[in-house]
């Protein structure tokens, strides 16, 4: 009888440890998408939905070294949550881009500024 009790206790202890919080430390990355502004971005300001407007960088104005850039030519790559957005790009008082986009998780959409 002792030979049967020990394996059952060991199995019960392992099942208890496995079922009680073994997976609590798993972290899911937050979903993200990207909007890539290319073209004549010098002096342009982008408005994406309710996000704070930001100035687009012109060619050669990237904050990152050339080896670390994720987009060519110093174009601006902006990370946002997946969803539907109205994107407006202005140069001075003139609207040069007014587009609605739907971004899924992990998607990148290019907005070319004329």
């Amino acid at each position: 009888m002792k030979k049967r009790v020990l394996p059952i206790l060991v199995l019960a202890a392992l099942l208890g440890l496995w079922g009680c919080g073994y997976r609590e430390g798993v972290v899911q990355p937050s979903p993200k998408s990207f909007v890539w502004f290319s073209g004549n971005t010098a002096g342009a300001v982008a408005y994406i939905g309710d996000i704070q407007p930001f100035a687009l960088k012109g060619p050669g104005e990237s904050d990152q070294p050339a080896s670390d850039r994720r987009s060519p030519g110093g174009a601006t790559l902006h990370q946002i949550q997946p969803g539907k957005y109205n994107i407006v790009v202005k140069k001075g008082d003139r609207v040069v881009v007014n587009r609605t986009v739907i971004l899924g998780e992990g998607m990148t959409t290019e907005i070319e500024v004329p």
Side-chain angles (χ1 to χ4, degrees):
M1 174 129 167
K2 283 187 175 182
K3 290 183 180 179
R4 288 187 190 173
V5 173
L6 184 60
I8 291 172
L9 287 175
V10 170
L11 181 61
L14 289 175
L15 286 175
L17 288 174
W18 181 70
C20 294
Y22 177 71
R23 298 181 191 198
E24 273 187 53
V26 176
V27 176
Q28 293 284 336
S30 61
K32 56 187 168 186
S33 299
F34 298 93
V35 179
W36 172 25
F37 295 94
S38 63
N40 187 11
T41 56
V45 177
Y47 299 81
I48 301 177
D50 296 335
I51 299 171
Q52 179 73 27
F54 57 95
L56 299 178
K57 301 205 180 293
E61 295 180 9
S62 178
D63 294 334
Q64 301 170 330
S67 61
D68 292 343
R69 286 190 196 136
R70 289 195 263 169
S71 57
T76 302
L77 186 64
H78 190 75
Q79 178 181 326
I80 59 175
Q81 294 289 323
K84 181 178 179 180
Y85 295 94
N86 185 41
I87 298 175
V88 176
V89 178
K90 291 183 178 181
K91 284 189 175 183
D93 291 334
R94 198 179 84 181
V95 174
V96 293
V97 174
N98 187 358
R99 184 177 305 161
T100 300
V101 296
I102 299 174
L103 293 169
E105 184 174 345
M107 289 180 61
T108 301
T109 189
E110 180 180 4
I111 304 294
E112 186 168 351
V113 180

